[in-house]
Amino acid sequence: MAARPGGLLATKVHFKHLQVATSEGYAARPGGAQAVFHQEWKKEEAKEKRKRTVEAYRQFEQGQLPAGPGADALLATFRAIEDELEGHDPGPAKVVTDRQLELLLKQKASVLHLSAANYCWFEGPAKALCLKLAGSKSATAPLTGLCDSSRCPQATHHLVHRPVWQTAADNGADMLASPRIPPGEKNRLRAEHERSMRRSTTQPERAYDMALSQEQRDQIERRIRAAIDRLLSGKIPPGGACDIKTLAREAGISRASLYRTWGHLKDEFEKRRAAAWAAGQQPDPREARIARLRDLNHRLTGKLARTHTEFNQLKERHRLLLSALAAKDDELQRLRRELSTFSHTSPAPAPEPRQGDDTSGVVPLPRR
Protein backbone atom coordinates (compact mmCIF):
# COMPACT_ATOMS: atom_id res chain seq x y z
CA MET A 1 0.00 0.00 0.00
CA ALA A 2 2.76 2.44 0.92
CA ALA A 3 4.67 1.74 -2.31
CA ARG A 4 1.86 3.10 -4.48
CA PRO A 5 1.46 6.80 -5.30
CA GLY A 6 0.07 8.51 -2.22
CA GLY A 7 0.14 5.15 -0.47
CA LEU A 8 2.09 6.40 2.54
CA LEU A 9 -0.74 8.75 3.54
CA ALA A 10 -3.27 6.03 2.80
CA THR A 11 -1.34 3.69 5.10
CA LYS A 12 -1.40 6.30 7.85
CA VAL A 13 -5.17 6.69 7.52
CA HIS A 14 -5.79 2.96 7.26
CA PHE A 15 -3.73 2.04 10.35
CA LYS A 16 -4.84 5.17 12.22
CA HIS A 17 -1.27 6.33 12.88
CA LEU A 18 -0.80 9.71 14.52
CA GLN A 19 2.29 10.56 12.49
CA VAL A 20 3.37 9.81 8.93
CA ALA A 21 6.80 8.86 10.33
CA THR A 22 5.18 5.91 12.07
CA SER A 23 3.67 4.67 8.81
CA GLU A 24 6.98 5.22 7.06
CA GLY A 25 8.76 3.15 9.68
CA TYR A 26 6.26 0.29 9.38
CA ALA A 27 6.46 0.41 5.60
CA ALA A 28 10.28 0.20 5.74
CA ARG A 29 10.61 2.88 3.10
CA PRO A 30 14.19 4.13 2.78
CA GLY A 31 15.05 7.71 3.59
CA GLY A 32 12.99 10.23 5.49
CA ALA A 33 12.26 9.50 9.12
CA GLN A 34 12.72 5.75 8.85
CA ALA A 35 16.27 5.81 10.22
CA VAL A 36 15.21 8.03 13.11
CA PHE A 37 12.26 5.77 13.85
CA HIS A 38 14.45 2.65 13.78
CA GLN A 39 17.06 4.27 16.03
CA GLU A 40 14.47 5.39 18.56
CA TRP A 41 12.89 1.95 18.55
CA LYS A 42 16.27 0.27 19.18
CA LYS A 43 17.02 2.71 21.98
CA GLU A 44 13.71 2.02 23.70
CA GLU A 45 14.20 -1.72 23.25
CA ALA A 46 17.66 -1.58 24.88
CA LYS A 47 16.22 0.51 27.71
CA GLU A 48 13.46 -2.06 28.30
CA LYS A 49 16.00 -4.89 28.29
CA ARG A 50 18.10 -3.19 30.95
CA LYS A 51 14.99 -2.54 33.01
CA ARG A 52 13.91 -6.18 32.85
CA THR A 53 17.42 -7.38 33.73
CA VAL A 54 17.59 -5.10 36.78
CA GLU A 55 14.13 -6.29 37.78
CA ALA A 56 15.32 -9.91 37.60
CA TYR A 57 18.35 -9.00 39.74
CA ARG A 58 16.16 -7.28 42.33
CA GLN A 59 14.02 -10.43 42.52
CA PHE A 60 17.20 -12.44 43.00
CA GLU A 61 18.12 -10.18 45.94
CA GLN A 62 14.73 -10.87 47.52
CA GLY A 63 15.14 -14.62 47.17
CA GLN A 64 12.88 -15.01 44.09
CA LEU A 65 15.17 -17.15 41.95
CA PRO A 66 14.51 -17.78 38.25
CA ALA A 67 13.57 -21.17 36.86
CA GLY A 68 14.30 -22.89 33.59
CA PRO A 69 17.38 -24.57 32.07
CA GLY A 70 19.29 -21.28 31.87
CA ALA A 71 18.69 -20.31 35.50
CA ASP A 72 22.07 -21.52 36.77
CA ALA A 73 24.02 -19.43 34.26
CA LEU A 74 21.94 -16.36 35.07
CA LEU A 75 22.39 -16.89 38.81
CA ALA A 76 26.15 -17.17 38.32
CA THR A 77 26.11 -13.75 36.64
CA PHE A 78 24.01 -12.25 39.42
CA ARG A 79 26.30 -13.67 42.11
CA ALA A 80 29.31 -12.20 40.32
CA ILE A 81 27.59 -8.80 40.33
CA GLU A 82 26.82 -9.21 44.02
CA ASP A 83 30.48 -9.91 44.74
CA GLU A 84 31.45 -6.84 42.72
CA LEU A 85 29.16 -4.76 44.91
CA GLU A 86 30.92 -6.05 48.02
CA GLY A 87 31.99 -2.56 49.10
CA HIS A 88 28.44 -1.20 48.74
CA ASP A 89 26.50 -2.88 51.50
CA PRO A 90 22.81 -2.12 50.91
CA GLY A 91 22.31 -0.77 54.39
CA PRO A 92 20.75 2.51 55.46
CA ALA A 93 23.84 4.53 54.49
CA LYS A 94 24.74 2.87 51.19
CA VAL A 95 22.08 2.00 48.64
CA VAL A 96 22.84 0.51 45.25
CA THR A 97 20.72 2.36 42.70
CA ASP A 98 19.15 0.90 39.58
CA ARG A 99 21.46 3.04 37.46
CA GLN A 100 24.51 1.35 38.99
CA LEU A 101 22.98 -2.05 38.33
CA GLU A 102 22.19 -1.09 34.73
CA LEU A 103 25.84 -0.28 34.13
CA LEU A 104 26.98 -3.55 35.69
CA LEU A 105 24.34 -5.62 33.87
CA LYS A 106 24.60 -3.80 30.55
CA GLN A 107 26.47 -6.60 28.81
CA LYS A 108 24.06 -9.26 30.07
CA ALA A 109 21.04 -7.16 29.09
CA SER A 110 22.36 -6.76 25.54
CA VAL A 111 21.78 -10.48 24.79
CA LEU A 112 18.28 -10.58 26.29
CA HIS A 113 15.35 -11.33 23.98
CA LEU A 114 11.93 -10.79 25.51
CA SER A 115 9.09 -13.24 25.04
CA ALA A 116 5.66 -13.52 26.52
CA ALA A 117 6.41 -16.78 28.32
CA ASN A 118 10.15 -16.65 29.00
CA TYR A 119 13.39 -14.71 28.72
CA CYS A 120 15.97 -15.83 26.16
CA TRP A 121 19.58 -14.93 27.00
CA PHE A 122 20.92 -15.45 23.45
CA GLU A 123 24.66 -15.67 24.12
CA GLY A 124 25.48 -18.00 21.23
CA PRO A 125 23.74 -19.70 18.29
CA ALA A 126 25.33 -23.03 19.23
CA LYS A 127 23.31 -23.16 22.46
CA ALA A 128 19.96 -22.12 20.97
CA LEU A 129 17.57 -25.07 20.72
CA CYS A 130 15.31 -23.22 18.29
CA LEU A 131 18.14 -22.83 15.77
CA LYS A 132 19.02 -26.50 16.09
CA LEU A 133 15.41 -27.46 15.40
CA ALA A 134 15.31 -25.13 12.39
CA GLY A 135 18.72 -26.24 11.13
CA SER A 136 19.98 -22.67 11.02
CA LYS A 137 23.55 -22.09 12.18
CA SER A 138 24.18 -18.56 10.95
CA ALA A 139 21.25 -16.79 12.63
CA THR A 140 22.01 -13.87 14.93
CA ALA A 141 18.71 -13.95 16.83
CA PRO A 142 16.49 -16.69 18.26
CA LEU A 143 13.41 -18.00 16.49
CA THR A 144 10.65 -17.30 18.97
CA GLY A 145 8.11 -19.44 17.14
CA LEU A 146 10.25 -22.57 17.70
CA CYS A 147 11.17 -21.78 21.29
CA ASP A 148 10.93 -24.64 23.78
CA SER A 149 11.83 -22.93 27.03
CA SER A 150 11.60 -26.15 29.03
CA ARG A 151 14.66 -27.56 27.22
CA CYS A 152 16.64 -24.60 25.86
CA PRO A 153 19.75 -23.91 27.99
CA GLN A 154 19.38 -20.15 27.40
CA ALA A 155 15.75 -19.78 28.54
CA THR A 156 14.61 -18.68 32.00
CA HIS A 157 11.21 -18.18 33.62
CA HIS A 158 10.47 -15.35 36.04
CA LEU A 159 7.63 -14.03 38.11
CA VAL A 160 6.36 -11.89 35.23
CA HIS A 161 5.77 -15.03 33.12
CA ARG A 162 3.64 -16.85 35.67
CA PRO A 163 0.28 -15.35 34.53
CA VAL A 164 0.99 -16.48 30.96
CA TRP A 165 1.64 -20.06 32.01
CA GLN A 166 -1.32 -19.99 34.40
CA THR A 167 -3.60 -18.84 31.56
CA ALA A 168 -2.28 -21.59 29.32
CA ALA A 169 -2.87 -24.14 32.07
CA ASP A 170 -6.45 -22.94 32.61
CA ASN A 171 -7.18 -23.05 28.88
CA GLY A 172 -5.72 -26.53 28.67
CA ALA A 173 -7.89 -27.71 31.56
CA ASP A 174 -10.99 -26.33 29.85
CA MET A 175 -10.14 -28.05 26.59
CA LEU A 176 -9.42 -31.35 28.30
CA ALA A 177 -12.80 -31.16 30.02
CA SER A 178 -14.60 -30.47 26.75
CA PRO A 179 -16.32 -33.50 25.20
CA ARG A 180 -15.81 -32.09 21.71
CA ILE A 181 -12.04 -32.69 21.76
CA PRO A 182 -11.00 -36.04 20.23
CA PRO A 183 -9.07 -38.47 22.45
CA GLY A 184 -5.96 -38.24 20.29
CA GLU A 185 -5.91 -34.46 20.54
CA LYS A 186 -6.47 -34.69 24.29
CA ASN A 187 -3.30 -36.77 24.66
CA ARG A 188 -1.31 -33.99 23.02
CA LEU A 189 -3.09 -31.29 25.03
CA ARG A 190 -2.50 -33.21 28.25
CA ALA A 191 1.28 -33.01 27.79
CA GLU A 192 1.03 -29.26 27.09
CA HIS A 193 -1.23 -28.82 30.10
CA GLU A 194 1.20 -30.62 32.42
CA ARG A 195 4.07 -28.48 31.17
CA SER A 196 2.05 -25.30 31.75
CA MET A 197 1.13 -26.49 35.24
CA ARG A 198 4.78 -27.08 36.09
CA ARG A 199 5.67 -23.56 34.97
CA SER A 200 2.75 -21.89 36.76
CA THR A 201 3.05 -23.63 40.13
CA THR A 202 5.63 -22.63 42.71
CA GLN A 203 8.71 -24.84 42.81
CA PRO A 204 10.65 -25.26 46.07
CA GLU A 205 14.03 -24.36 44.58
CA ARG A 206 12.76 -21.59 42.26
CA ALA A 207 10.29 -19.55 44.26
CA TYR A 208 8.14 -17.24 42.12
CA ASP A 209 5.84 -16.02 44.82
CA MET A 210 6.56 -12.61 46.25
CA ALA A 211 5.68 -13.70 49.78
CA LEU A 212 7.46 -16.74 51.24
CA SER A 213 5.42 -19.30 53.10
CA GLN A 214 5.75 -19.57 56.86
CA GLU A 215 7.52 -22.90 56.54
CA GLN A 216 10.09 -21.43 54.17
CA ARG A 217 10.62 -18.46 56.47
CA ASP A 218 11.19 -20.76 59.44
CA GLN A 219 13.63 -22.84 57.43
CA ILE A 220 15.65 -19.81 56.32
CA GLU A 221 15.63 -18.39 59.85
CA ARG A 222 16.95 -21.67 61.24
CA ARG A 223 19.74 -21.64 58.66
CA ILE A 224 20.70 -18.08 59.57
CA ARG A 225 20.74 -18.80 63.32
CA ALA A 226 22.82 -21.93 62.76
CA ALA A 227 25.29 -19.88 60.70
CA ILE A 228 25.43 -17.26 63.47
CA ASP A 229 26.24 -19.90 66.07
CA ARG A 230 28.97 -21.40 63.90
CA LEU A 231 30.65 -18.06 63.22
CA LEU A 232 30.52 -16.89 66.85
CA SER A 233 31.94 -20.23 68.01
CA GLY A 234 35.02 -19.71 65.86
CA LYS A 235 34.12 -22.03 62.97
CA ILE A 236 35.13 -19.64 60.22
CA PRO A 237 35.07 -21.10 56.67
CA PRO A 238 38.16 -20.76 54.45
CA GLY A 239 38.33 -17.32 52.92
CA GLY A 240 35.61 -15.99 55.23
CA ALA A 241 35.42 -13.89 58.35
CA CYS A 242 33.05 -13.20 61.21
CA ASP A 243 31.08 -10.63 59.24
CA ILE A 244 27.80 -10.07 57.41
CA LYS A 245 29.08 -11.25 54.04
CA THR A 246 30.20 -14.63 55.37
CA LEU A 247 26.97 -14.97 57.38
CA ALA A 248 24.86 -14.51 54.24
CA ARG A 249 26.99 -16.97 52.31
CA GLU A 250 26.83 -19.58 55.05
CA ALA A 251 23.05 -19.18 55.32
CA GLY A 252 22.59 -19.53 51.56
CA ILE A 253 20.97 -16.13 50.98
CA SER A 254 22.08 -12.84 49.47
CA ARG A 255 23.41 -10.00 51.60
CA ALA A 256 20.66 -7.73 50.33
CA SER A 257 18.02 -10.22 51.48
CA LEU A 258 19.75 -10.42 54.87
CA TYR A 259 19.59 -6.63 55.20
CA ARG A 260 16.03 -6.19 54.00
CA THR A 261 14.13 -9.32 55.01
CA TRP A 262 16.14 -10.67 57.93
CA GLY A 263 17.39 -7.42 59.41
CA HIS A 264 16.49 -8.49 62.96
CA LEU A 265 18.80 -11.52 62.68
CA LYS A 266 21.56 -9.32 61.28
CA ASP A 267 21.18 -6.97 64.26
CA GLU A 268 21.20 -9.95 66.62
CA PHE A 269 24.41 -11.22 65.07
CA GLU A 270 26.09 -7.82 65.40
CA LYS A 271 24.99 -7.47 69.06
CA ARG A 272 26.28 -10.92 69.97
CA ARG A 273 29.54 -10.25 68.18
CA ALA A 274 29.93 -6.89 69.98
CA ALA A 275 29.21 -8.58 73.32
CA ALA A 276 31.87 -11.20 72.59
CA TRP A 277 34.37 -8.48 71.75
CA ALA A 278 33.51 -6.58 74.94
CA ALA A 279 34.09 -9.76 76.96
CA GLY A 280 37.57 -10.12 75.48
CA GLN A 281 36.62 -12.91 73.10
CA GLN A 282 37.44 -12.91 69.42
CA PRO A 283 35.62 -15.61 67.42
CA ASP A 284 37.62 -14.91 64.29
CA PRO A 285 41.35 -15.76 64.72
CA ARG A 286 42.16 -13.52 61.81
CA GLU A 287 40.39 -10.60 63.49
CA ALA A 288 42.29 -11.31 66.72
CA ARG A 289 45.58 -11.22 64.82
CA ILE A 290 44.51 -8.03 63.08
CA ALA A 291 43.67 -6.51 66.48
CA ARG A 292 47.11 -7.44 67.84
CA LEU A 293 48.83 -6.02 64.80
CA ARG A 294 46.69 -2.90 65.03
CA ASP A 295 47.69 -2.44 68.70
CA LEU A 296 51.35 -3.03 67.85
CA ASN A 297 51.12 -0.55 65.01
CA HIS A 298 49.53 1.99 67.37
CA ARG A 299 52.34 1.60 69.91
CA LEU A 300 55.05 1.77 67.27
CA THR A 301 53.42 4.82 65.76
CA GLY A 302 53.36 6.51 69.18
CA LYS A 303 56.98 5.61 69.78
CA LEU A 304 57.95 6.94 66.38
CA ALA A 305 56.09 10.18 67.10
CA ARG A 306 57.90 10.60 70.44
CA THR A 307 61.25 9.89 68.79
CA HIS A 308 60.47 12.42 66.12
CA THR A 309 59.60 15.02 68.77
CA GLU A 310 62.85 14.37 70.67
CA PHE A 311 64.80 14.59 67.44
CA ASN A 312 63.23 17.95 66.65
CA GLN A 313 64.03 19.18 70.16
CA LEU A 314 67.67 18.10 69.78
CA LYS A 315 67.86 19.82 66.41
CA GLU A 316 66.51 23.02 67.96
CA ARG A 317 68.98 22.79 70.86
CA HIS A 318 71.81 22.16 68.40
CA ARG A 319 70.77 25.22 66.42
CA LEU A 320 70.75 27.37 69.59
CA LEU A 321 74.19 26.13 70.61
CA LEU A 322 75.56 26.89 67.17
CA SER A 323 74.08 30.40 67.40
CA ALA A 324 75.65 30.97 70.82
CA LEU A 325 79.01 29.65 69.59
CA ALA A 326 78.86 31.94 66.57
CA ALA A 327 78.10 34.92 68.85
CA LYS A 328 81.07 34.05 71.09
CA ASP A 329 83.32 33.79 68.06
CA ASP A 330 82.13 37.19 66.81
CA GLU A 331 82.84 38.69 70.25
CA LEU A 332 86.33 37.17 70.29
CA GLN A 333 87.11 38.54 66.86
CA ARG A 334 85.89 42.01 67.91
CA LEU A 335 88.11 41.98 71.00
CA ARG A 336 91.10 40.95 68.92
CA ARG A 337 90.50 43.78 66.49
CA GLU A 338 90.23 46.32 69.36
CA LEU A 339 93.43 45.02 70.91
CA SER A 340 95.29 45.30 67.62
CA THR A 341 94.10 48.91 67.11
CA PHE A 342 95.10 49.91 70.66
CA SER A 343 98.61 48.50 70.28
CA HIS A 344 99.25 50.61 67.12
CA THR A 345 98.03 54.00 68.49
CA SER A 346 99.40 53.97 72.12
CA PRO A 347 103.19 55.06 72.90
CA ALA A 348 105.56 52.41 74.06
CA PRO A 349 105.94 52.47 77.84
CA ALA A 350 109.37 53.57 79.33
CA PRO A 351 111.51 50.73 80.57
CA GLU A 352 111.62 50.37 84.27
CA PRO A 353 115.03 51.06 85.94
CA ARG A 354 116.89 48.03 87.05
CA GLN A 355 118.22 47.64 90.57
CA GLY A 356 121.67 49.20 91.14
CA ASP A 357 121.49 51.26 87.98
CA ASP A 358 120.36 54.77 88.93
CA THR A 359 120.67 56.91 85.81
CA SER A 360 117.97 59.41 86.59
CA GLY A 361 120.49 62.20 87.29
CA VAL A 362 122.72 61.67 84.28
CA VAL A 363 122.60 64.40 81.66
CA PRO A 364 123.19 63.09 78.17
CA LEU A 365 126.07 64.71 76.26
CA PRO A 366 125.51 66.27 72.93
CA ARG A 367 126.80 64.38 69.94
CA ARG A 368 129.49 65.77 67.76
Side-chain angles (χ1 to χ4, degrees), residues 359-366:
T359 59
S360 58
V362 178
V363 178
L365 297 176

Side-chain angles (χ1 to χ4, degrees), residues 105-238:
L105 295 169
K106 183 178 180 180
Q107 182 177 1
K108 190 66 176 179
S110 63
V111 300
L112 173 61
H113 290 265
L114 304 175
S115 298
N118 66 283
Y119 286 164
C120 178
W121 309 91
F122 191 77
E123 295 181 345
K127 299 180 181 179
L129 179 62
C130 59
L131 299 184
K132 293 181 180 179
L133 296 176
S136 176
K137 299 181 180 179
S138 59
T140 58
L143 302 176
T144 307
L146 296 177
C147 180
D148 187 359
S149 60
S150 62
R151 295 189 299 156
C152 183
Q154 299 184 133
T156 57
H157 303 104
H158 299 261
L159 183 66
V160 67
H161 304 127
R162 186 179 181 184
V164 178
W165 290 102
Q166 186 63 47
T167 302
D170 296 339
N171 294 337
D174 295 338
M175 296 181 70
L176 289 175
S178 175
R180 299 181 179 181
I181 304 299
E185 184 67 16
K186 283 188 176 182
N187 292 334
R188 187 187 67 82
L189 292 175
R190 188 173 292 109
E192 295 291 335
H193 175 67
E194 291 176 357
R195 188 179 69 164
S196 300
M197 288 295 296
R198 287 196 301 269
R199 297 294 175 267
S200 61
T201 55
T202 302
Q203 301 178 9
E205 69 277 10
R206 301 285 187 254
Y208 289 106
D209 206 348
M210 294 293 290
L212 297 175
S213 64
Q214 187 61 38
E215 182 180 357
Q216 290 174 330
R217 287 182 174 275
D218 295 340
Q219 183 181 4
I220 295 176
E221 185 170 349
R222 286 194 297 269
R223 291 206 312 264
I224 296 175
R225 291 189 181 278
I228 291 176
D229 294 337
R230 288 198 303 271
L231 294 180
L232 293 180
S233 63
K235 298 179 180 179
I236 309 299

